[in-house]
Structure formats: structure tokens, C-alpha cells
Amino acid sequence: MAPRLLPVELRQLRYFVAVAEELNFGRAAARLRIAGPSLSQQIKALERDLQVRLFDRNRRVVTLTAAGAALLPEVREVVDRADRLHQRARGLADTHPVRLGYVSWRPADLAERTAGVAALRVDTWVLPSHAQAARVADGTLDVAICWAAPEDLSALGLEGTVIGSDLLYAVAVGEDSSAVAARDTVVLVDADLGSWESWNRYAEEFAGQTGARVERIDDGGITGAAFIAHVRRLRRPVLNSPKEQNVVWPAGVVRRPVVDPQPFWPWLLVSRRDEARPAVRAVVAALAGQRPHPGLGGDQPIR
């Protein structure tokens, strides 16, 4: 008759992973915040329940047995799945919707990625990036998809992770649609900081890194007909903004790829650094899983 296997506790599996990663019972116990003798007893109980030895150990060295090494990936998967289950359950238990704001871009599969994670309410009040970040900081929004400089996030007590990016291009007069070097483009910087502060900072950073020319304006010509007027006036390729990504340009005006380097506008998922609501943290985790091209701004969490 086959031996009867006893139920295994998830807690013991977590202990096994910690010891396997540390290969030291003292460090693993400190990491788990339990007493060393208790950890040793729990590992022995797990080995007894599984009917296999997981570690070879003496006073100085702890090593995984062949069986322990074989089981470790599966145990990690079980622990990770349990963590995801708990996270999802906490999100579903929160009855208040998570309020999300954005500027001009959001993931096409936003609803699918947050389904079953938490109730999500997309805010229809579209504002510039710096304004959306400020709304997260003051609690008007829970999360926002926007652009923000690392120093601004730090000052506002926020953190952000790149979840998308727009490849920008140049707009020029004529029929030449060949690639243009970044140093040969013009970037527009508008005097209206209330509307264009984020773009201005990106544009000036781009110019500082590439040698592109900065053209200062005061008519809101970052987009729309005024933008086309500047393109015609300057007679040089002008970098477009994220709000002009899918525009059909008039006759005699073409889009030109920018190279050396390519300009990417990163979209950050911004949330409060001290966020306590499980539902908000669950939405952040669900949306931050994708890592596209970082462009300017990096692809790691920004604080």
C-alpha cells in the first residue's frame, strides 16, 4: 500500500523557499521574523510530510538535496499563486472603485487587465501630466497614467513605473519623409506652463541630450493649427508631441522618423508611495506587468 501523504501547510512552503534562497537557517529565520529553532522544526515537519529530505546541513553548511532542488521551482510557483490569490481577494473585498486618470493614452486592454482585480473608474477629466500627478498626490485620483520627472515624484510622495510609450517623430514641410537626426530637429516650448509644463520639461531635456534647437512660443502651438503654422514658419523638422500621434497632416506636410536617438515619450503609472488600499495596489500590480520600450525616463520603478 502506498504511504499516506499528509497535507502541506503553505507557511512551511514559504519557509522552505526562504531557506533555499538563503542557504542559512539564521538568515532565513531573520528574514521570516521567526525563531531559528522554530524554523528548523517546521522544515523537519515539512520533510516528514513530504517524505523526502530537502536539505543537507551541518553546523557550517546548508545545501539543497537533489530532491530539494527539483521541488524548489514548483514550490515557488505554489507560493506565488497563493500570493496572487490573496492580492486578488483583497482587491475584490474593497468596495470603493479605484479612480484612474490619464492624459491621452491608456492600455487598449485596460479593462481586461483589471477585470477581477478591483472595481475601476476611469476619470473623464483629462488634464496635463503634471496636473494628473498632483491629483494623485492630493487624493483626488488613486492612480494616473502620465509623464513625470523623478524629482517631481519624489517631491509629491509618489512612485511610477513605465507601462507604455509613444515613439515621437518630426513634422516637416515638403515631400522628404526620410529619417532625420535628432540634433537637426526643433522642439517647441510654450510659455503657458499650466497647459504645457510637462511637455516643456521633456522637450528641454531632449534638446539638452541631443542638441536639438529650442523654439520658444506663446500661442499654444504644441498642437493643432498653430503647430502646423510653426512647422511652415521654421522650415525645419519639428518634434511632435504625444497629443499629435495619430494626426492626418495637411498636404505639403510630412512626418519624418527621428533617429540618433529615437525619442520615446514614456507613460508612467503613478501612485502614492504610501498607498495602503489593497485594491489600489492590486490595480498597480495588474497594470505594471508590461514593460515596453522605456525611452527617456527608464523602465524601472521611479520614486
Side-chain angles (χ1 to χ4, degrees):
M1 184 174 66
R4 182 172 65 90
L5 296 180
L6 300 176
V8 175
E9 293 187 21
L10 179 63
R11 171 173 54 102
Q12 292 175 335
L13 297 181
R14 294 186 190 278
Y15 292 173
F16 167 54
V17 171
V19 176
E21 291 177 348
E22 298 291 345
L23 292 179
N24 182 288
F25 274 79
R27 290 196 299 268
R31 167 176 156 182
L32 295 165
R33 299 183 181 180
I34 63 173
S38 176
L39 175 60
S40 182
Q41 291 172 6
Q42 291 296 325
I43 293 297
K44 288 179 180 178
L46 178 61
E47 290 176 323
R48 183 176 60 251
D49 292 342
L50 293 176
Q51 300 182 8
V52 66
R53 193 173 77 256
L54 300 171
F55 297 100
D56 286 324
R57 49 198 182 272
N58 56 40
R59 291 182 179 274
R60 293 178 299 175
V61 179
V62 176
T63 58
L64 278 165
T65 64
L71 289 173
L72 180 59
E74 296 183 46
V75 173
R76 279 198 177 110
E77 183 179 353
V78 170
V79 172
D80 289 344
R81 289 181 65 183
D83 289 342
R84 291 194 296 270
L85 175 63
H86 288 152
Q87 184 181 62
R88 182 174 179 182
R90 288 195 300 268
L92 293 173
D94 192 335
T95 58
H96 298 290
V98 175
R99 300 159 299 175
L100 180 145
Y102 70 104
V103 179
S104 60
W105 177 90
R106 54 182 176 174
D109 59 348
L110 177 66
E112 290 83 355
R113 292 170 68 178
T114 57
V117 174
L120 186 68
R121 187 179 73 200
V122 179
D123 192 273
T124 58
W125 193 12
V126 176
L127 292 172
S129 284
H130 62 277
Q132 298 292 43
R135 294 178 70 202
V136 175
D138 67 21
T140 307
L141 293 173
D142 295 309
V143 290
I145 300 171
C146 60
W147 181 89
E151 57 270 25
D152 294 335
L153 295 176
S154 179
L156 293 170
L158 304 176
E159 60 184 10
T161 300
V162 177
I163 65 167
S165 60
D166 280 332
L167 174 60
L168 305 183
Y169 55 88
V171 181
V173 173
E175 298 180 354
D176 182 5
S177 60
S178 63
V180 58
R183 64 179 178 274
D184 296 326
T185 65
V186 178
V187 289
L188 303 179
V189 172
D190 198 277
D192 180 4
L193 296 182
S195 299
W196 301 110
E197 179 182 350
S198 300
W199 168 256
N200 288 351
R201 295 181 66 176
Y202 177 91
E204 290 181 334
E205 180 183 349
F206 176 79
Q209 291 181 6
T210 66
R213 170 182 157 190
V214 174
E215 178 76 8
R216 302 193 181 277
I217 60 175
D218 59 5
D219 59 358
I222 307 299
T223 61
F227 176 76
I228 297 299
H230 288 301
V231 172
R232 296 186 189 281
R233 173 178 64 84
L234 293 167
R235 309 295 296 181
R236 291 184 60 181
V238 181
L239 192 70
N240 79 309
S241 77
K243 290 190 174 181
E244 299 278 66
Q245 280 300 85
N246 301 307
V247 171
V248 177
W249 301 107
V253 175
V254 296
R255 57 188 294 172
R256 298 181 63 179
V258 177
V259 295
D260 300 327
Q262 291 181 303
F264 284 86
W265 172 277
W267 291 111
L268 275 64
L269 180 67
V270 172
S271 61
R272 289 178 288 276
R273 193 182 307 152
D274 60 354
E275 180 57 63
R277 285 182 61 197
V280 177
R281 295 200 303 270
V283 166
V284 170
L287 294 179
Q290 184 179 358
R291 291 295 178 87
H293 195 296
L296 296 173
D299 67 344
Q300 300 300 317
I302 301 171
R303 300 174 182 270

